[in-house]
Amino acid sequence: MPYDVTHTTLDGMTHIPPPAEELRILDAELWRLDAHRAQLLARRAWLVATLQKPQPQPQTPSMSVTPPRPETSALGVQNLLLLLGGVLLTVAAMVFTLVSWGHLGITGRALVLGAVTLTALAVPAVPLRRGLRSTAESVAGLGLALTLLDAYALHEAALAGVDGTGYAAAATAVLALLWTGYGLLPATAALRLPLPAAVVAGQFPLLLWAVAADAGPYGVTAALLVTAAADTVLALRVTSGSVRGVAAVGAYGAGAWGVLAAGWLSWTATGVGAAARAAALLLLAAAIALGAAWRSQGEKRGVGLVVASGLLAVGAVGGTARPALPEAWTVPVHLACAIALLAAVRATALPDAVRGGLAWASGAVQALAVLWTLPVLAVALLGPAGWVTRAWAGAPSDSRVAVTTDVAWPPHAATAPLVPAAVAAVLVLTVRDTTWRPRALTGALGLTWATAAILPAVLELPYAVGLSVQGVVIAAALGAAGAVRRALPSPSPSPSPSPSPSPEGTRAPQPTAPTPDVRHFLPAKLTALLLALLSSLSLAALSLATQTATLTVLSALTALWAAASWSTRLTPVTAPAALAYAAALACATGAAADWTPAHTALLVLAVPTVAALLAARLGGSPATVPVEAAGAAAGGLAVALAVTDPPVLALVLALCAVITAGTAVRPERRSLGYAATALFVLATWVRLASWDVGAPEAYTLPVTVPALLVGALRRRRDPQASSWTAYGPGLAATLIPSLVAAWGDAHWTRPLLLGGAALAVTLLGARHHLQAPLLLGGSVLTLLALHELAPYLVQVTGVLPRWVPPALAGLLLLALGATYEQRIRDVRRVREVLGKMD
């Protein structure tokens, strides 16, 4: 502090900070020190406690930190040991019986085996009382195995002369009874092994007895089915899960073998008696399956059992009638049985699961029967294609010969039409559900068509009659396509109880049947159209046998499809089909008149003409594009027919161009104008080529003039359009080919005319400030001038000494180098001038 500060001044100075604030700061600092001291004390106490604990010994990396996990449970070890023990004891007993048996007398044998067997069967009761179930099961298994050895030993020792198969049948029956009684004893009722073992033993007595009694295949099959029936009853009535599982496996196994054997016996039966016996076996199997399904109808397997039962019943009845009828009636008889099975579906006393399974069984048989007719239908539809390679060779004797020119007729097909007709009737008469009704009618429509398609060939109708039948089928299919919706019944209210008043006193609304969706009718219409189209193609191929038939059928098909086009719903399909058959009729007419293909093409052009007129009338209809596509295809056919005659080809191309130009008049088809122009140009080129015209200008000027006119019109509508787009293609089409021809022309006429034309184009480009005419004309004019001066330049270079051309080139380079900057400025000015042009 300075010495010149007085005491009075010190007393008047203010403390910074004030005393109260300084006191508060001191208290806070002391509190912080106390808190830190408490933290240090707590840390010290933790360190002391840690040091007082015993330290663990360091572990080496080879020692495991966690104890090893056991790889198996104690129960698993126990069961494995018991199983191995039982197996070893059983093997020992077998070795004793088979090897050491002969060293003992009869009494010793009986005493040893009896004592061991009784001991093994009595021991399980002791561990059962102590809760050792696994031990008891192992010992019981040993006892059951010993009973088998006892039976074998008894046969070998005392009953060696008895038939082995018969003895095995009796022994398995006795063992099944003994094991069943053993499993039902109070002391051993808790064992799980004896009763399933008894079921397994019960699978063999009947089968072995049938084999021993020489019962034949029928007796053996009956034994299998009876065994399956017993297993089925056991599986449905016993509550034990293990017994039910073994019985179910036995029922399915024995039943499957029995059904296969019965089916084979029915198929190979040569007489009514043998077929009847096999049918009885199949009916027994059907009854077993139906009974099992009846008891388990709430489960999924119940429906499958009912289906199997229905199929077996159909096979039984149909197999009985098969030997007494011709082989062609085998499938119709089974189909009749399947249709008769539907009567059981109508029975309201049957459960719903049973009725549904029988319906599925009947449907499966009907589907298989329809598949049997597919080869016949394929021959009837595809067989006429063989007439394409032998057109107008002569009328066949009948419809079957007409469809089998290159293929063989399927055997036993005399009853083929009955199958699709019967299935179609079933679909129409039985399916009444509103949702499934349209689908059933669609299927019935296809089956009826199949019946009519194969009927002429099956009945061997005359050729003309067969053609008429196919025509009627096509007309009917087209009529069905137009009226398929009217064939469906209108929805009606479903029956319901009388209405009751609602709590508010108003009448409650009653449920009504849902109205079918319009989309449900679309498959039927498409199916009918597809069937009509397939039949018409087959009929057209079939008519190629004679000239008269071809013209008549194609005329009828054209008229039929054209008449069907009056329905707007069918026009997208029927109109193109009518045009296609009209084109085929035109080709056939030309061939009948002995016209060349090129002259026939002129007649075919009537089809695209009609298509263009029809498309203009249709407007925005969905049928417009298909009709135009059919017309374009007919035009392509005409061009292909005329390609061998260039003058006629030029005429055909010109007529196609006229048709295309007429179509391009429509606002939505303006883009076809380019196609019309291309066709006109192509027609001109073909005509010039037919006249042996070699001048390129004759080919290019017909392109240049229209192109320049179109470019001028575009520039008038759009002044901003580039001259390269408007005039470049047209000018290049003539100038470039003519320049190439002029370079190889030794006369002066073409270079003079081309030079005048190029000069005129250049001047017009300069006059109107257009880039394309100026550069194209100037380039052609320059190249043409060089071409004309080339001979003189060659002469000059031949007169001059050899050092003159290099010297002139050097002087030129020096001059260019001296005026490089000026030339760059001049080039920039030229580029700017050209850039200002259009």
Side-chain angles (χ1 to χ4, degrees), residues 376-396:
V376 184
L377 180 62
V379 171
L381 288 180
L382 304 179
W387 289 103
V388 174
T389 58
R390 52 173 67 91
W392 298 352

Side-chain angles (χ1 to χ4, degrees), residues 56-68:
Q57 295 297 327
Q59 297 181 354
T60 60
S62 60
M63 298 179 62
S64 176
V65 179
T66 59

Side-chain angles (χ1 to χ4, degrees), residues 445 474 476-478 480-482 484 523-533 561:
L445 178 63
I474 298 170
L478 290 176
V484 65
K525 184 178 75 171
L526 295 179
T527 301
L529 285 175
L530 178 60
L531 297 179
L533 187 59
W561 286 95

Side-chain angles (χ1 to χ4, degrees), residues 42-130:
R43 179 65 179 174
R44 180 180 179 280
W46 181 83
L47 292 174
V48 171
T50 302
L51 292 175
Q52 291 177 354
K53 292 181 179 179
Q55 298 295 326
Q57 295 297 327
Q59 297 181 354
T60 60
S62 60
M63 298 179 62
S64 176
V65 179
T66 59
R69 182 178 61 86
E71 297 182 357
T72 182
S73 63
L75 181 61
V77 174
Q78 167 194 319
N79 294 334
L80 179 61
L81 293 176
L82 292 174
L83 177 63
L84 290 176
V87 170
L88 291 176
L89 288 175
T90 304
V91 171
M94 292 175 62
V95 171
F96 170 77
T97 303
L98 298 175
V99 178
S100 301
W101 182 260
H103 300 289
L104 298 176
I106 297 177
T107 304
R109 300 171 188 174
L111 290 176
V112 171
L113 280 179
V116 174
T117 302
L118 291 176
T119 302
L121 293 176
V123 166
V126 178
L128 279 177
R129 287 196 298 269
R130 298 182 179 181

Side-chain angles (χ1 to χ4, degrees), residues 583-606:
L585 177 61
C587 295
T589 302
D594 291 332
W595 291 357
T596 61
H599 289 88
T600 303
L602 298 175
L603 185 60
V604 175
L605 284 179

Side-chain angles (χ1 to χ4, degrees), residues 97-497:
T97 303
L98 298 175
V99 178
S100 301
W101 182 260
H103 300 289
L104 298 176
I106 297 177
T107 304
R109 300 171 188 174
L111 290 176
V112 171
L113 280 179
V116 174
T117 302
L118 291 176
T119 302
L121 293 176
V123 166
V126 178
L128 279 177
R129 287 196 298 269
R130 298 182 179 181
L132 304 176
R133 179 183 295 274
S134 299
T135 303
E137 294 287 354
S138 299
V139 179
L142 175 61
L144 298 179
L146 288 174
T147 57
L148 284 173
L149 294 175
D150 290 340
Y152 169 76
L154 179 61
H155 179 268
E156 292 296 325
L159 302 174
V162 178
D163 178 60
T165 305
Y167 177 80
T172 52
V174 172
L175 288 176
L177 293 175
L178 289 176
W179 292 351
T180 302
Y182 180 71
L184 295 177
L185 290 176
T188 57
L191 294 174
R192 299 176 181 175
L193 184 60
L195 292 180
V199 175
V200 173
Q203 306 300 311
F204 302 100
L206 287 178
L207 178 61
L208 294 175
W209 172 82
V211 174
D214 197 13
Y218 292 93
V220 173
T221 304
L224 286 172
L225 293 176
V226 172
T227 303
D231 290 334
T232 302
V233 173
L234 195 62
L236 293 175
R237 292 187 175 274
V238 176
T239 58
S240 175
S242 58
V243 176
R244 293 184 62 183
V246 174
V249 172
Y252 280 110
W257 282 108
V259 167
L260 291 176
W264 176 255
L265 292 174
S266 177
W267 184 257
T268 57
T270 56
V272 177
R277 291 194 297 270
L281 296 174
L282 289 174
L283 289 176
L284 175 60
I288 296 172
L290 184 61
W294 199 293
R295 290 297 300 266
S296 59
Q297 55 182 308
E299 304 177 9
K300 292 182 179 180
R301 65 172 180 268
V303 178
L305 291 173
V306 175
V307 173
S309 176
L311 294 176
L312 291 173
V314 172
V317 179
T320 304
R322 185 185 59 82
L325 297 174
E327 193 169 355
W329 288 92
T330 300
V331 174
V333 167
H334 285 81
L335 178 61
C337 296
I339 295 173
L341 193 63
L342 292 176
V345 179
R346 296 293 180 180
T348 56
L350 296 177
D352 292 340
V354 176
R355 296 168 60 191
L358 294 178
W360 279 106
S362 177
V365 175
Q366 295 179 53
L368 292 175
V370 171
L371 289 177
W372 174 72
T373 63
L374 288 183
V376 184
L377 180 62
V379 171
L381 288 180
L382 304 179
W387 289 103
V388 174
T389 58
R390 52 173 67 91
W392 298 352
S397 58
D398 55 60
S399 296
R400 181 178 298 183
V401 176
V403 300
T404 55
T405 55
D406 294 330
V407 294
W409 182 250
H412 314 300
T415 57
L418 297 177
V419 173
V423 177
V426 169
L427 290 176
V428 173
L429 297 176
T430 60
V431 180
R432 295 295 181 182
D433 183 71
T434 305
T435 303
W436 286 93
R437 180 69 172 174
R439 304 174 188 176
L441 289 179
T442 302
L445 178 63
L447 293 171
T448 305
W449 167 82
T451 304
I454 64 178
L455 193 61
V458 171
L459 299 180
E460 295 182 284
L461 297 178
Y463 175 67
V465 177
L467 295 179
S468 302
V469 171
Q470 294 295 340
V472 172
V473 170
I474 298 170
L478 290 176
V484 65
R485 185 170 182 177
R486 293 194 297 269
L488 296 173
S490 59
S492 58
S494 60
S496 58

